[in-house]
Amino acid sequence: MEETVKSQDRLNVLDKIKEYEKEGGEAFFKDVEMDPPSKVLMPNDVDYLNKKLKNKICRQIAFAMGQKMRRVHNKLNQIEVLGIENAQGIDGGAIITSNHFGFFESACPSKVVKMLNKKKRMYIVIKEGNYQMPGAYGFLFRHCDTLPLSSNTETMKNFSHALSTILNKKKQFVLVYPEQAMWWNYRKPRPQRTGASHMAVKNNVPIIPCFVTMSDLDQIDDDGFPVQKYTVHVMKPLYPDPNKSDKENIKDLTDENYRMCVEKYEEVYHTKLEY
């Protein structure tokens, strides 16, 4: 039987993950992928709410492409959702959080949204560089209901205004990856940045915490590794406490979100979390 050859690129990524995990602290938020260079996104670079006709049309095309890709990965990764009843009482806007571990992992929270309400949209907060990727993936990142961050202050003001409109006026869902960097096939929960909690507190909406666990399937992917089965665990929503300050709420929501993910990890994998 011919031995499966594993991608050197993926092996390098896994080595870097091990290195950063051992380092700990801020290293948990470092990128392990070789991203192409990018420029600062200026206010005129992003039409967050698709007000221009061209971007409305592009959004329709990108959405259709994205839906097709999600269906493929839904089947390929045999995505299963557990705990959907925990979030069924949410009618308005909400922040969804999930661990960040794969290129097409948004199919997981997307399935959660469709199970909750087929009429809801799920916007995705992405980093500055992803918005500028070339090719088909770049087209998706620019037009498939994405909200790019920016290192420009004025652009971030537009981001914040759009976010508020989406959550409070349109009452839609917004996916945020609080672990920040994508660590490929990494099964452990990582410490979280406070951005998702900040967005929830400032807009007075709940957080729907999700944690995706993985198991090997018999199929081997193009990189020589087992295809992963994804199980999405939808946990009880977290709400800002009106009796606490914004600062207290942001810290408490972030800490509780991480604690719940650790608890779910230990429950599913039957092992204590250790880095």
Side-chain angles (χ1 to χ4, degrees):
M1 190 176 192
E2 187 177 346
E3 184 179 355
T4 302
V5 178
K6 294 183 176 179
S7 162
Q8 188 59 50
D9 174 68
R10 292 299 91 195
L11 290 171
N12 292 341
V13 165
L14 293 176
D15 285 342
K16 192 168 286 187
I17 287 173
K18 289 179 182 178
E19 175 190 337
Y20 290 165
E21 181 190 66
K22 184 177 180 180
E23 183 179 340
E26 286 295 306
F28 275 118
F29 308 115
K30 288 184 179 180
D31 289 321
V32 295
E33 305 286 340
M34 293 294 291
D35 293 331
S38 61
K39 66 181 183 67
V40 176
L41 287 176
M42 303 304 289
N44 291 333
D45 291 335
V46 188
D47 179 17
Y48 282 105
L49 297 175
N50 287 322
K51 293 182 177 180
K52 298 177 181 178
L53 178 60
K54 175 186 175 182
N55 291 330
K56 290 180 188 293
I57 295 171
C58 287
R59 188 264 168 191
Q60 294 297 326
I61 297 170
F63 183 77
M65 291 170 59
Q67 287 293 86
K68 183 176 180 180
M69 291 177 66
R70 284 168 179 164
R71 283 194 294 269
V72 169
H73 285 278
N74 197 341
K75 183 177 180 180
L76 175 67
N77 300 112
Q78 300 180 23
I79 298 174
E80 180 182 13
V81 176
L82 300 177
I84 192 67
E85 66 278 0
N86 286 324
Q88 284 177 332
I90 297 176
D91 294 323
I95 298 291
I96 298 177
T97 59
S98 184
N99 43 326
H100 204 5
F101 57 85
F103 298 109
F104 304 104
E105 68 197 3
S106 65
C108 293
S110 177
K111 185 168 184 176
V112 171
V113 171
K114 292 306 175 187
M115 290 175 70
L116 290 173
N117 188 331
K118 291 183 179 180
K119 295 181 180 179
K120 289 276 191 182
R121 285 191 188 182
M122 184 186 77
Y123 292 77
I124 308 175
V125 175
I126 63 173
K127 61 182 182 180
E128 202 164 32
N130 285 353
Y131 189 80
Q132 302 171 59
M133 284 182 64
Y137 290 134
F139 181 81
L140 284 173
F141 275 127
R142 283 186 290 280
H143 298 291
C144 197
D145 290 343
T146 55
L147 303 171
L149 298 169
S150 173
S151 44
N152 178 270
T153 303
E154 292 304 313
T155 308
M156 284 305 296
K157 288 180 181 179
N158 291 347
F159 169 92
S160 297
H161 176 265
L163 183 71
S164 178
T165 299
I166 290 164
L167 290 171
N168 295 311
K169 186 176 180 180
K170 297 188 175 184
K171 302 185 185 303
Q172 305 293 350
F173 292 157
V174 176
L175 172 64
V176 183
Y177 294 113
E179 295 175 333
Q180 188 169 300
M182 192 273 281
W183 283 17
W184 185 73
N185 280 2
Y186 188 73
R187 296 188 177 186
K188 300 175 185 179
R190 285 180 282 149
Q192 301 183 358
R193 293 292 199 197
T194 59
S197 298
H198 183 275
M199 294 175 199
V201 170
K202 290 299 182 182
N203 290 283
N204 194 30
V205 297
I207 295 174
I208 303 174
C210 296
F211 184 70
V212 182
T213 56
M214 290 168 265
S215 57
D216 293 351
L217 293 171
D218 292 335
Q219 185 177 349
I220 301 299
D221 66 19
D222 293 339
D223 292 314
F225 292 84
V227 173
Q228 298 297 295
K229 171 181 168 56
Y230 297 153
T231 302
V232 192
H233 302 270
V234 182
M235 297 174 286
K236 291 185 178 180
L238 301 173
Y239 293 84
D241 187 338
N243 297 314
K244 294 181 179 179
S245 68
D246 285 0
K247 184 177 180 180
E248 289 173 321
N249 266 315
I250 290 168
K251 182 182 186 306
D252 289 350
L253 291 179
T254 304
D255 290 346
E256 180 62 11
N257 196 334
Y258 175 65
R259 186 199 68 77
M260 293 169 73
C261 291
V262 171
E263 184 177 74
K264 186 59 65 176
Y265 168 85
E266 295 180 341
E267 173 193 324
V268 173
Y269 292 113
H270 306 291
T271 185
K272 184 173 178 56
L273 175 64
E274 292 181 350
Y275 298 122

